[in-house]
Amino acid sequence: RAVLQAHLKAGATGFRYNFVGSMSDRGAPDRNHEGHGGWTIDDLGGRIDEWMLNYRPDIVLLHAGTNNITVGDSPATTAEKLQSLIAQIRSHDPDTKIFVAKVIKSRDPGRRPNTNAYESLIPGVVAASGPDVYLVDQSTIAGTDIYDWTHPNDFGYAKMAYNWYNAMDKVIAAGAWKPVASPYRLRKAYICQLHFDLGGKRACFKRAV
């Protein structure tokens, strides 16, 4: 969120925005959001009516379904639930612009096939969801962009922010926003391996990847 807000401040000339939601975390100038770690689409669907009524967002950035695969839902079932969630959001205001992500890759060998299969169904879900629903390809966040089995590191989050920004630019400003630096141009990253020496002090050694 912090990187996306920085892009909007630097490049989205004349665009006024306010991040909304029941959550408030440090790390971004505008702290409000509705990003819930570990939640399934079912969990989001149980609260979305409340959030839409309370905050009335003009724009929704939706990256959902990874946790459904984790708890054992099939790709097809997860895609159906995503379709229902989008419809639930649109029922409050059909003019709300919903940007739906092709989910980031999984590094878990056990979950990867179903995650990839679900991801391949998302464009069809978006195409069948009506106007003002847009696909954003976040599946390019993979490999060394992810610090564990599932979650992006700062490099991965920078790519996600860049993708959200450019998708919004095309829809909201017809490409008139200023370009921002692309993290995809970087060809070298570092992994910080944390070690504890004999004195109990932490030492971080970087290695290029």
Side-chain angles (χ1 to χ4, degrees), residues 90-103:
R90 296 193 74 236
S91 71
H92 289 272
D93 185 349
D95 293 327
T96 299
K97 291 177 171 53
I98 308 171
F99 293 84
V100 182
K102 286 183 66 176
V103 296

Side-chain angles (χ1 to χ4, degrees), residues 39-48 62-90 98 100-101 103 118 121-122 124-126 129 133:
W39 281 35
T40 64
I41 295 173
D42 311 68
D43 296 323
L44 296 172
R47 296 288 303 278
I48 197 68
L62 183 61
H63 183 288
T66 300
N67 292 312
N68 286 78
I69 299 298
T70 300
V71 301
D73 282 349
S74 71
T77 295
T78 306
E80 290 173 2
K81 290 181 177 181
L82 179 65
Q83 185 102 59
S84 295
L85 181 63
I86 294 170
Q88 193 175 355
I89 294 170
R90 296 193 74 236
I98 308 171
V100 182
V103 296
Y118 165 59
L121 297 174
I122 295 174
V125 170
V126 170
S129 292
V133 182

Side-chain angles (χ1 to χ4, degrees), residues 3-88:
V3 178
L4 177 56
Q5 289 175 22
H7 290 338
L8 291 171
K9 182 178 180 180
T13 305
F15 179 65
R16 298 177 62 188
Y17 65 90
N18 176 34
F19 280 51
V20 296
S22 62
M23 305 279 283
S24 180
D25 294 345
R26 291 181 294 176
D30 190 332
R31 297 182 175 186
N32 301 116
H33 67 94
E34 212 60 81
H36 296 267
W39 281 35
T40 64
I41 295 173
D42 311 68
D43 296 323
L44 296 172
R47 296 288 303 278
I48 197 68
D49 292 328
E50 171 192 341
W51 298 332
M52 292 298 293
L53 289 170
N54 285 345
Y55 303 109
R56 301 185 180 279
D58 301 299
I59 298 168
V60 174
L61 307 183
L62 183 61
H63 183 288
T66 300
N67 292 312
N68 286 78
I69 299 298
T70 300
V71 301
D73 282 349
S74 71
T77 295
T78 306
E80 290 173 2
K81 290 181 177 181
L82 179 65
Q83 185 102 59
S84 295
L85 181 63
I86 294 170
Q88 193 175 355

